[in-house]
Amino acid sequence: MENTGFNLENKRKLLYKRKRRRKIIFRLTLLFTLIFCVSIYFILNSKGLINRKVTLSPPKEKEFIVCIDPGHGDFDIGSKSPSGSLEKDIVLSISLKLGELLEKENIKVVYTRTNDSLPWLDDANDSLKERIKISEVFKSDLFISIHCNSNYDDTNAKGIETWYKLNDEESKDFAEDIQLSLSNLNYTDNRGVKTYAKKEDALAVLELNSANSALVELGFLSNSLDEKYLTLDSNQDKIANALKEGILRQLAVDN
Ligand SMILES: [Zn+2]
């Protein structure tokens, strides 16, 4: 009996020991598994292999801004045709049409003037600087100055020409796109793209402008054929559309 009691006590102790050992093994396994998992996590994380949920907002598409500069305005009439058509009126009308077309293409448009009054003091030098200032403030991508020519020494002189910034390939490219679009309308001579020979002769609106810029002369108001074309509303629509096409080609290049 005593022997049996001893055996039972021994068995209980043995069972207890086994149970403890299993508990310790279980805890150690758990601990090592945890250490293993944590180590794997840190290794993968350090190598950037774990996909994190990115909650950043999607990048905004860059908005293109075109500054349209209708030349002259107010007291400054620009060129005048023998019949009395004024450069400042023709270029304003075409500029507004162009702006409307660009806005339909979701392009932001900034004008240096939207009517016959100038939003700055009436000084010719200030006028040019103020036009550039508007373009700079809005951080325009493109700046287009719109004008008409005249030559009363030679009233046969006619045609379109587009001016670009001296030694500036981007500006030259822009001017070429504008010139090509307009000459495709075939309403007058194609006088090509031009730049000034010397810095002193620089066209201020181009030279002082940090935006890619061009200045277009749509035709000669001193020439009766050019004048007739430029003053007709339906032709102004065509010109505005051609200018838009030239600008869109530029934006496609920038993209
Ligand atoms: Zn002009």
Side-chain angles (χ1 to χ4, degrees), residues 71-72 76-79 87-88 91 145-149 215-217:
H72 315 278
D76 174 12
I77 60 166
S79 301
E87 179 185 354
K88 65 167 187 172
V91 297
S145 193
I146 302 174
H147 289 256
C148 296
N149 237 329
L215 183 148
V216 61
E217 300 273 9

Side-chain angles (χ1 to χ4, degrees), residues 108-157:
K108 189 176 172 185
V109 176
V110 174
Y111 298 92
T112 55
R113 68 180 178 100
T114 52
N115 53 47
D116 192 35
S117 60
L118 299 174
W120 53 79
L121 292 171
D122 47 0
D123 177 275
N125 282 328
D126 273 356
S127 176
L128 297 175
K129 283 180 191 157
E130 290 298 328
R131 287 167 201 267
I132 298 157
K133 205 191 278 176
I134 290 169
S135 175
E136 301 280 301
V137 164
F138 286 92
K139 295 187 168 63
S140 307
D141 297 285
L142 291 177
F143 176 97
I144 182 157
S145 193
I146 302 174
H147 289 256
C148 296
N149 237 329
S150 68
N151 183 352
Y152 285 98
D153 293 330
D154 178 12
T155 53
N156 287 322

Side-chain angles (χ1 to χ4, degrees), residues 163-173 194-199 202 206-207 212-213:
W163 291 74
Y164 61 92
K165 215 190 275 190
L166 183 68
N167 300 325
D168 187 323
E169 282 303 311
E170 272 198 341
S171 173
K172 189 181 179 191
D173 194 56
K194 297 181 174 191
T195 194
Y196 22 87
K198 287 180 287 177
K199 206 92 173 172
L206 299 185
E207 195 55 38
N212 185 6
S213 48

Side-chain angles (χ1 to χ4, degrees), residues 5-229:
F6 175 74
N7 278 344
L8 272 172
E9 184 65 17
N10 260 2
K11 260 187 179 174
R12 214 178 291 137
K13 274 185 183 171
L14 214 70
L15 276 171
Y16 177 70
K17 266 187 183 174
R18 275 185 194 160
K19 225 178 171 183
R20 245 189 106 195
R21 207 180 297 148
R22 265 192 235 124
K23 235 181 192 176
I24 289 166
I25 290 168
F26 176 71
R27 279 179 184 169
L28 279 174
T29 312
L30 204 70
L31 185 70
F32 282 122
T33 310
L34 198 71
I35 290 169
F36 178 75
C37 286
V38 168
S39 309
I40 289 290
Y41 173 83
F42 278 108
I43 289 166
L44 291 178
N45 197 31
S46 69
K47 291 186 176 176
L49 293 172
I50 289 178
N51 269 341
R52 287 185 205 132
K53 274 190 181 171
V54 181
T55 49
L56 292 173
S57 52
K60 269 189 184 175
E61 260 182 53
K62 193 192 176 303
E63 193 178 33
F64 276 105
I65 304 168
V66 176
C67 184
I68 303 174
D69 174 41
H72 315 278
D74 198 5
F75 70 98
D76 174 12
I77 60 166
S79 301
K80 186 180 178 180
S81 78
S83 63
S85 308
L86 302 180
E87 179 185 354
K88 65 167 187 172
D89 297 332
I90 295 168
V91 297
L92 176 63
S93 171
I94 291 168
S95 294
L96 295 176
K97 286 174 188 289
L98 169 63
E100 221 173 279
L101 292 174
L102 290 176
E103 276 165 354
K104 279 185 194 157
E105 300 287 336
N106 292 323
I107 292 165
K108 189 176 172 185
V109 176
V110 174
Y111 298 92
T112 55
R113 68 180 178 100
T114 52
N115 53 47
D116 192 35
S117 60
L118 299 174
W120 53 79
L121 292 171
D122 47 0
D123 177 275
N125 282 328
D126 273 356
S127 176
L128 297 175
K129 283 180 191 157
E130 290 298 328
R131 287 167 201 267
I132 298 157
K133 205 191 278 176
I134 290 169
S135 175
E136 301 280 301
V137 164
F138 286 92
K139 295 187 168 63
S140 307
D141 297 285
L142 291 177
F143 176 97
I144 182 157
S145 193
I146 302 174
H147 289 256
C148 296
N149 237 329
S150 68
N151 183 352
Y152 285 98
D153 293 330
D154 178 12
T155 53
N156 287 322
K158 62 185 175 77
I160 309 152
E161 58 192 43
T162 310
W163 291 74
Y164 61 92
K165 215 190 275 190
L166 183 68
N167 300 325
D168 187 323
E169 282 303 311
E170 272 198 341
S171 173
K172 189 181 179 191
D173 194 56
F174 180 25
E176 279 170 351
D177 272 344
I178 293 296
Q179 185 69 21
L180 179 70
S181 280
L182 287 170
S183 57
N184 281 342
L185 290 176
N186 284 320
Y187 65 88
T188 186
D189 296 347
N190 179 355
R191 298 169 65 95
V193 294
K194 297 181 174 191
T195 194
Y196 22 87
K198 287 180 287 177
K199 206 92 173 172
E200 301 88 78
D201 303 330
L203 296 164
V205 284
L206 299 185
E207 195 55 38
L208 303 174
N209 213 324
S210 59
N212 185 6
S213 48
L215 183 148
V216 61
E217 300 273 9
L218 300 168
F220 284 68
L221 292 187
S222 48
N223 177 273
S224 57
L225 291 171
D226 275 3
E227 190 239 0
K228 204 174 166 192
Y229 188 89

